[in-house]
Amino acid sequence: MVGSATLAGLGSLALPQPIVFRDELVYSEAAKALASGHVPAGYGYGWGYPALIAPLYRVFTHVPDAYVAIKLVDAIVFSLAAIPAYLIARRCVRPSLALAVALLTVLLPARTYSYLVTTESLAFLLFLLFVLALLRMLESPTLRSQLVVMFVGALAFETRRQLIVLAAAVPLTILGTSLLEARDVRQALRSALRRYSAVWLAILAAVAIGIAKSITGGSGGVLGPYAALAHGYELGPILTWLRNDIAVLGLVLGVVPLIALPLGLARCLRRVAATERRALAVTTVVLVALVVAQVTVFSSTSFGLGRVHERYLFYVVPLVFAVFAVWLDDGMRRPRFVAAGLATAVALLPLLLPTKGHVSAGIDAPTLHALGFDTLTRRPQFGSSFALQVDAFHLKAVIVSAVLALWFVISRPKRRWLLVAAIGLAFVVVDLATHQGIVDFGRGLEQLAAGDRSAQLDWVDRRVGRDDRVAVLVVAPENTCAAATHERRHALTTEWRVEFFNASSARVVVVGVSPDTALPFARAVVGPTGRVTTATGLEPRFVVADRRVTLAGKRLAVDQATRWALWRIAAPLRVLGARGTGDLRAMVCDRRA
């Protein structure tokens, strides 16, 4: 655990700036707001993660220092997931195998999410704590254990809204374990209702609150900004993405644990199996099914952006590891033909993936990124009668899967640690490739915005103080400008940097571009006198803008790295030399300025 936190922390230091916009902006702005003692209007996301990192914005005077501290805290939080992973497995297997589960958990390529100012690290820890609490409740359904499950589940949901699936997991696991213990369905239902009364009351209360929030519509209801995902699905895209998510699952798990999953579940679900093992099996089946279904439905919408989302699947991986450990602990029993069939099926799963995909620098799908899925181009099929399209990525993925599957088939119980080591080595290789991709992507954004790593990132705060309110004027040139695409990207990337690293930034004013900001923003026009106006009014005291734009006021500072300047405004906000919006947009196209 300490080693994982150290490696993740050191790795995160190589990333010079945030790379996931708008997510990192949203959570950093919410944390800054909490640190200053107020709540931003219309936030709508969970408060768990902002509450975790808000104290760092109070402790550190400069936001860049807080950014480094946040990444180190995220590394520690992600590594702490080893503790519940160990305890989950330890209930069913010997200590050495439980330690193996904990080690594989912190070796997951998802560890690179600790580089980001996002919820993944904390949500992963809370997800596993919820699973641990749920297993204990299923084994001993006391009032205390039920209250613990509901409390941890609420924390998880308040950290990441997608973890609403945990609310469905509770009744399903209760019914599943009750059916295994009872003689018939009626007896199972009576037992579940009687033994888990506190849970049912809590579910009824949660449903009532959810209905009330949906009716009032406050902050999008229970789901907040994700409320748009509650409707509008089509069966065709859902089935397509279900195929994709199943195809990638073997690679995410390291191949071998997925092959062993049916065998391990069979061991756990025997009549003579211990209560702990049956609870683990039911919980694993329920949560894997719910998480895969949720990710599939999300990916099928326009919000999924056509990407494979390992980023949302990895939560359930430690559960599969625990079932895998049960199979190892029981002597790796595998009927010859069953084992060969499972190994072949899992090894060929990557063939179900499409030949075109988009993965953003390894963030959404680190395993696929390491195998080159994000650089795919369509190639001819191998054989006119072959229904699946195959290219270099598929060949690499199948070869890697086949090697691990073969190792599963030929391994013997005395060499089970070599099997665990092979999975861990695969994760390390993927992690190294993902780390480099993420760092290179971050440096590319840094060069696009600034090109100078020695510049002070919080140059605005250092001039006006963190408590002053500064507006950011973002201007993009007309499409007829020869460098329109570059200038637009430069403007957006620079605004992100100013917003993220300066607590004084409070509002964004845009001309000719749609920002991906977490701050309140307004579209502006320029009148004949050069006055900049918005529909909501505009009277800023300080404005940050491209230094090629001259404002009416006093220029206080210039960031030589980004060629943006800070102005004290002589109200109203006016652009000198501009007689309309077109003149302002032309200014940021002139590279001689």
Side-chain angles (χ1 to χ4, degrees):
M1 186 175 68
V2 174
S4 170
T6 302
L7 290 175
L10 292 175
S12 70
L13 297 180
L15 184 64
Q17 69 166 61
I19 61 174
V20 180
F21 301 105
R22 167 172 184 262
D23 296 26
E24 293 188 80
L25 292 175
V26 166
Y27 295 115
S28 65
E29 289 301 323
K32 292 173 193 173
L34 287 180
S36 61
H38 68 275
V39 177
Y43 171 65
Y45 296 86
W47 285 104
Y49 183 68
L52 173 69
I53 64 175
L56 299 176
Y57 286 106
R58 296 276 294 184
V59 171
F60 292 94
T61 303
H62 301 295
V63 173
D65 296 334
Y67 175 56
V68 173
I70 288 169
K71 291 190 290 185
L72 295 178
V73 167
D74 279 349
I76 295 171
V77 170
F78 183 90
S79 300
L80 285 174
I83 295 175
Y86 170 83
L87 294 174
I88 289 168
R90 182 65 188 91
R91 306 178 75 79
C92 302
V93 299
R94 67 187 72 177
S96 57
L97 286 172
L99 282 173
V101 170
L103 177 62
L104 291 177
T105 296
V106 295
L107 284 178
L108 284 172
R111 185 174 60 186
T112 52
Y113 296 138
S114 64
Y115 299 3
L116 311 177
V117 186
T118 55
T119 61
E120 272 78 9
S121 295
L122 181 59
F124 185 46
L125 174 61
L126 290 173
F127 179 90
L128 293 181
L129 287 173
F130 171 84
V131 171
L132 179 61
L134 180 61
L135 291 173
R136 289 179 172 175
M137 183 193 74
L138 293 174
E139 296 159 17
S140 178
T142 63
L143 176 60
R144 178 181 177 182
S145 66
Q146 294 176 59
L147 292 175
V148 170
V149 166
M150 291 180 284
F151 175 73
V152 179
L155 283 180
F157 174 72
E158 193 54 43
T159 297
R160 191 171 184 85
R161 291 287 189 250
Q162 290 95 325
L163 294 184
I164 193 172
V165 295
L166 301 182
V170 174
L172 290 176
T173 52
I174 289 174
L175 293 174
T177 52
S178 298
L179 286 171
L180 289 177
E181 296 171 357
R183 297 177 182 177
D184 54 48
V185 176
R186 289 184 178 180
Q187 183 181 358
L189 292 176
R190 285 196 298 268
S191 174
L193 290 173
R194 184 183 71 257
R195 300 172 67 194
Y196 298 93
S197 56
V199 168
W200 303 120
L201 289 174
I203 290 175
L204 289 175
V207 170
I209 293 172
I211 293 173
K213 283 194 172 184
S214 298
I215 293 174
T216 59
S219 298
V222 174
L223 295 177
Y226 299 103
L229 297 173
H231 52 78
Y233 301 111
E234 297 181 9
L235 181 60
I238 288 176
L239 294 177
T240 297
W241 280 102
L242 178 61
R243 180 197 68 188
N244 294 341
D245 289 333
I246 292 175
V248 78
L249 198 56
L251 296 171
V252 173
L253 287 163
V255 179
V256 174
L258 183 59
I259 300 173
L261 180 61
L263 303 174
L265 289 175
R267 304 296 300 173
C268 292
L269 293 173
R270 295 178 303 157
R271 280 287 182 183
V272 296
T275 303
E276 292 84 358
R277 288 192 170 189
R278 283 186 286 178
L280 173 64
V282 172
T283 302
T284 300
V285 170
V286 168
L287 282 172
V288 169
L290 287 174
V291 169
V292 170
Q294 183 190 52
V295 175
T296 294
V297 170
F298 172 77
S299 298
S300 71
T301 69
S302 59
F303 298 97
L305 302 177
R307 301 176 184 174
V308 177
H309 291 93
E310 291 181 41
R311 182 180 174 188
Y312 304 146
L313 286 171
F314 80 96
Y315 292 93
V316 298
V317 171
L319 285 175
V320 181
F321 287 163
V323 176
F324 172 56
V326 169
W327 176 74
L328 291 176
D329 202 31
D330 282 4
M332 299 171 58
R333 299 183 182 183
R334 57 210 151 157
R336 180 181 302 177
F337 294 110
V338 173
L342 289 171
T344 302
V346 173
L348 295 178
L349 279 179
L351 293 177
L352 296 177
L353 285 166
T355 55
K356 281 189 176 180
H358 174 68
V359 182
S360 178
I363 293 298
D364 292 297
T367 307
L368 297 189
H369 171 76
L371 291 169
F373 183 68
D374 52 340
T375 58
L376 289 179
T377 55
R378 187 171 292 278
R379 295 180 176 87
Q381 300 179 35
F382 291 121
S384 58
S385 63
F386 193 65
L388 298 173
Q389 296 177 350
V390 181
D391 59 13
F393 158 75
H394 292 88
L395 292 178
K396 286 189 291 184
V398 169
I399 289 171
V400 170
S401 298
V403 169
L404 290 169
L406 180 61
W407 193 242
F408 165 85
V409 172
I410 66 175
S411 291
R412 296 293 176 261
K414 291 183 179 180
R415 298 180 180 179
R416 59 173 172 261
W417 295 112
L418 293 178
L419 197 58
V420 174
I423 301 168
L425 179 61
F427 287 158
V428 170
V429 171
V430 172
D431 182 66
L432 291 174
T434 304
H435 167 81
Q436 193 58 51
I438 288 175
V439 171
D440 289 345
F441 185 70
R443 289 174 178 171
L445 286 178
E446 180 186 50
Q447 291 174 1
L448 178 63
D452 183 2
R453 300 193 68 182
S454 64
Q456 290 181 329
L457 296 169
D458 59 339
W459 61 280
V460 177
D461 281 359
R462 290 176 182 268
R463 187 64 181 83
V464 303
R466 291 177 55 165
D467 296 329
D468 258 309
R469 302 292 88 186
V470 177
V472 183
L473 177 62
V474 185
V475 183
E478 301 281 3
N479 291 333
T480 54
C481 174
T485 300
H486 173 81
E487 290 295 338
R488 187 175 292 107
R489 292 180 62 198
H490 168 75
L492 289 174
T493 307
T494 303
E495 188 279 319
W496 292 337
R497 282 166 62 91
V498 171
E499 177 181 342
F500 186 90
F501 288 110
N502 294 272
S504 55
S505 57
R507 189 179 185 188
V508 177
V509 181
V510 297
V511 176
V513 66
S514 296
D516 215 353
T517 175
L519 294 173
F521 76 93
R523 300 188 183 279
V525 295
V526 180
T529 63
R531 181 174 179 177
V532 181
T533 59
T534 67
T536 57
L538 184 64
E539 296 182 0
R541 183 183 175 194
F542 299 100
V543 173
V544 174
D546 191 306
R547 73 179 180 185
R548 293 171 290 184
V549 176
T550 303
L551 303 179
K554 180 180 180 181
R555 190 161 69 178
L556 301 178
V558 176
D559 180 29
Q560 297 299 327
T562 62
R563 65 175 192 263
W564 280 40
L566 170 68
W567 295 80
R568 178 184 284 117
I569 298 303
L573 175 60
R574 291 189 302 116
V575 180
L576 301 183
R579 297 182 178 179
T581 303
D583 289 346
L584 173 60
R585 299 184 71 177
M587 291 178 180
V588 296
C589 184
D590 186 2
R591 288 183 170 272
R592 295 171 299 174

